[in-house]
Amino acid sequence: MTLINTSFRHAGAQQLAQSLQAARHATLSLFDCYVTAGLDVVAGMPRHPRLNPPLWQLAQIAWFAEWYILREAASSHPADAIYNSLLTRGDDLFDANMVAHRTRWKLELPSPGAVKTYCREVLDRVLDKLSREANVDSALAPYRLALVHEDLCGEEMLAGLQWLGLEAPESLAASPALPPGAGEIAFPGGTIELGSPRGAGFAFDNESPPYACYVPPFSIDACAVSNAQFADFVADGGYQNRQFWSAAGSAWLMQQERSSPLYWLREATQWRTMRFGQRTTLPPNEAVRHINLYEAQAYCAWAGRRLATEAEWEYAALSGHPRFHWGQVWEWTATPFEPYPGFAVDAWREYSAPYFMQHQVLRGAAFATPPRLHSPRMRAFHAPERGDVFAGLRTCAW
């Protein structure tokens, strides 16, 4: 594994420098896909309730790095930056906490060329400052934060290309097949320490503080549910049979009039799908993706199974079992997104806290997630109805 693909959580200055440059290369390649489609200016971009205009997103990524690294802000509070932005109205345009999502489509943004110049200037200054930092966690924390922010935004930009039906960079869109005949794995259960300790490299605030958690014995799929398995649910009338759906799921289904997963297309006797603007045969041995929580719950009910709790998922992922595979798609769990006991916000104050009790936890990582972000302790979270993200499921049983 290359240096840029090893975990960023304990990354030193050299790895961070290489990873920040790799992340920017990926971001710009994603942005160029929007440029090719004429969507580099906000006016031509179709609105999405959760995705950002790509030009605004590109500038905001640089603004975020500038805020925490060059302007040495202790937190995301508007008064916490020590220095001014390189842009005259940078905070007014790109502070995500101050600029509501719906207004991002109406802003008078700099030209794409000016935004790229700003991005390049910020990265050059960041790398120069990084070269003079002490190789200790406290000094490197803002660089790790800027890196993970850019990587997470990049995954959202890739999801946007899929939603719009636009071509994506081949290196970022490749999806691996699932291992054959994986079956399920039984675990005896026991007490585990859930979460990441503070002061030991990078940890998201929602992973801390760690606490002892008892996990009863359980059995869990060795890998995520495949397209072929989910197709059996669809063929058996899974979307029509309301006994498999929760009340919230039934309400969502009535609004959507959905009879198969997002982007699936029925052609004669086979399933096809739209992948970044290209119609292709649905790979049967690939992890099913673009499944929301309601669809995941309905599949489990049909299969006589359930979603794993996040504690069960983390237990299995940390077990080292050679047949437990993850990383193809984010996986919905049965756990609502809540703070761990003793939770405290970090510098990025709005990362977790606004979404507690409203979103659901997903675990693992997706094919679109850079390997350096992969961690069995990472808690992703989305609203239950989100199907545009690269999410799937695996099933579990007592």
Side-chain angles (χ1 to χ4, degrees), residues 66-106:
E66 183 191 22
W67 178 267
Y68 285 103
I69 298 172
L70 303 182
R71 301 172 66 185
E72 300 181 5
S75 83
S76 54
H77 188 281
D80 271 4
I82 296 175
Y83 305 107
N84 294 326
S85 175
L86 294 173
L87 295 177
T88 304
R89 297 180 56 235
D91 296 353
D92 295 336
L93 294 173
F94 304 118
D95 186 342
N97 304 316
M98 306 300 291
V99 183
H101 186 273
R102 64 181 181 275
T103 66
R104 296 171 193 173
W105 307 86
K106 306 173 185 176

Side-chain angles (χ1 to χ4, degrees), residues 256-273:
Q256 301 297 315
E257 297 183 352
R258 186 75 59 79
S259 59
S260 62
L262 187 63
Y263 307 124
W264 282 30
L265 306 166
R266 188 71 180 178
E267 288 188 4
T269 60
Q270 68 174 348
W271 283 107
R272 305 270 283 174
T273 187

Side-chain angles (χ1 to χ4, degrees), residues 295-331:
E295 292 168 297
Q297 291 170 331
Y299 176 89
C300 288
W302 169 81
R305 307 274 287 180
R306 62 178 175 84
L307 294 175
T309 66
E310 68 169 327
E312 289 169 331
W313 196 98
E314 189 164 321
Y315 179 111
L318 290 172
S319 70
H321 197 290
R323 289 199 298 115
F324 189 82
H325 299 280
W326 58 278
Q328 289 81 26
V329 289
W330 292 102
E331 300 172 24

